[in-house]
């Protein structure tokens, strides 16, 4: 994971670490990085997408995993 973190932009890396390793809220992240909440969400999304593309999606927190689909009867 560390190697992939260094391939991210500084904003993506900081947003990812604040959210998934420190458990900060979007409001706290946006304030810490001087971004609006929408930009903070986008930075986190891009970081997660890069990790998943590298085949390391298992390191993403439970909250970000897609929900299992319900079977229709």
């Amino acid at each position: 994971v560390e190697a992939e973190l260094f391939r991210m932009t500084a904003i993506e890396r900081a947003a990812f670490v604040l959210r998934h390793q420190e458990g900060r809220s979007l409001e706290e992240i946006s304030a810490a990085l001087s971004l609006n909440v929408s930009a903070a969400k986008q930075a986190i999304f891009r970081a997660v997408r890069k990790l998943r593309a590298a085949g390391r999606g298992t390191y993403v927190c439970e909250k970000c995993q897609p929900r299992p689909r319900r079977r229709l009867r």
Side-chain angles (χ1 to χ4, degrees), residues 37-48:
V37 174
S38 178
K41 283 170 124 176
Q42 289 174 350
I44 296 165
F45 172 78
R46 286 191 306 268
V48 169

Side-chain angles (χ1 to χ4, degrees), residues 21-32:
Q21 292 182 348
E22 295 184 15
R24 302 284 180 99
S25 70
L26 289 171
E27 291 76 17
E28 291 173 316
I29 295 167
S30 62

Side-chain angles (χ1 to χ4, degrees), residues 14-71:
F16 180 84
V17 168
L18 288 169
R19 181 67 173 169
H20 295 291
Q21 292 182 348
E22 295 184 15
R24 302 284 180 99
S25 70
L26 289 171
E27 291 76 17
E28 291 173 316
I29 295 167
S30 62
L33 300 178
S34 301
L35 301 171
N36 62 40
V37 174
S38 178
K41 283 170 124 176
Q42 289 174 350
I44 296 165
F45 172 78
R46 286 191 306 268
V48 169
R49 185 176 56 192
K50 287 179 181 181
L51 282 175
R52 285 184 178 160
R56 303 196 188 267
T58 55
Y59 292 100
V60 179
C61 78
E62 233 177 64
K63 290 186 270 183
C64 296
Q65 297 298 326
R67 292 184 182 178
R69 293 183 183 201
R70 292 177 51 189
R71 292 180 58 146

